[in-house]
Amino acid sequence: MGHLTGAVLFLAGVLLSVPLWYSIVSLFIAIVPLSVLGASSTSMALESCGKNAGSASAILGFSSMVLGGVLMPVAGAMGENSALPMALIMVCCFALGLGAFYHYVAPAHREKDGGLTSKREEEQPAAAENQN
């Protein structure tokens, strides 16, 4: 939600032609948490892949590069002097990401067993049984 909030604030600032300090603060709210959340969420996603973690990492990297390449022309659609396309892309992508989270990830965590247990959680009961 923080990313989307920052992006919406940035979009509002672009539309209202606010001072630069406002844009910097709104971009800070939208972008800075990506460094922490991006690394930890990627690590958590790859944890469940086991021996296929390298392939999964390659798919994640490839997907982000393809998405960046596809959206690059859109970002420059209004020329070099407009931040409006960037603000719209940020809002759309963060909204799509939030929607994907609530559609795919959150329901699995709400279920009792969810099917998203990590390999460590699956191995711990087996290890405890082997010790007995």
Side-chain angles (χ1 to χ4, degrees):
M1 290 298 288
H3 302 296
L4 183 58
T5 302
V8 168
L9 290 173
F10 181 65
L11 177 61
V14 168
L15 293 174
L16 299 173
S17 299
V18 297
L20 180 63
W21 67 266
Y22 178 89
S23 296
I24 291 172
V25 170
S26 62
L27 284 172
F28 186 85
I29 293 168
I31 303 298
V32 168
L34 284 176
S35 60
V36 174
L37 294 176
S40 61
S41 63
T42 301
S43 174
M44 289 170 57
L46 295 177
E47 180 183 8
S48 64
C49 294
K51 65 180 182 176
N52 296 324
S55 297
S57 177
I59 290 171
L60 285 173
F62 175 76
S63 301
S64 66
M65 293 297 134
V66 167
L67 185 61
V70 168
L71 292 176
M72 187 184 312
V74 177
M78 296 180 72
E80 297 176 355
N81 299 325
S82 178
L84 183 60
M86 181 181 81
L88 289 172
I89 289 171
M90 287 173 59
V91 170
C92 290
C93 288
F94 285 141
L96 287 172
L98 194 62
F101 171 78
Y102 282 116
H103 188 286
Y104 295 108
V105 178
H109 285 283
R110 286 189 196 116
E111 295 174 5
K112 187 170 186 173
D113 292 326
L116 292 177
T117 58
S118 68
K119 288 206 173 269
R120 270 191 231 143
E121 292 171 358
E122 291 172 359
E123 293 170 357
Q124 286 176 350
E129 290 175 11
N130 291 340
Q131 290 177 355
N132 293 334

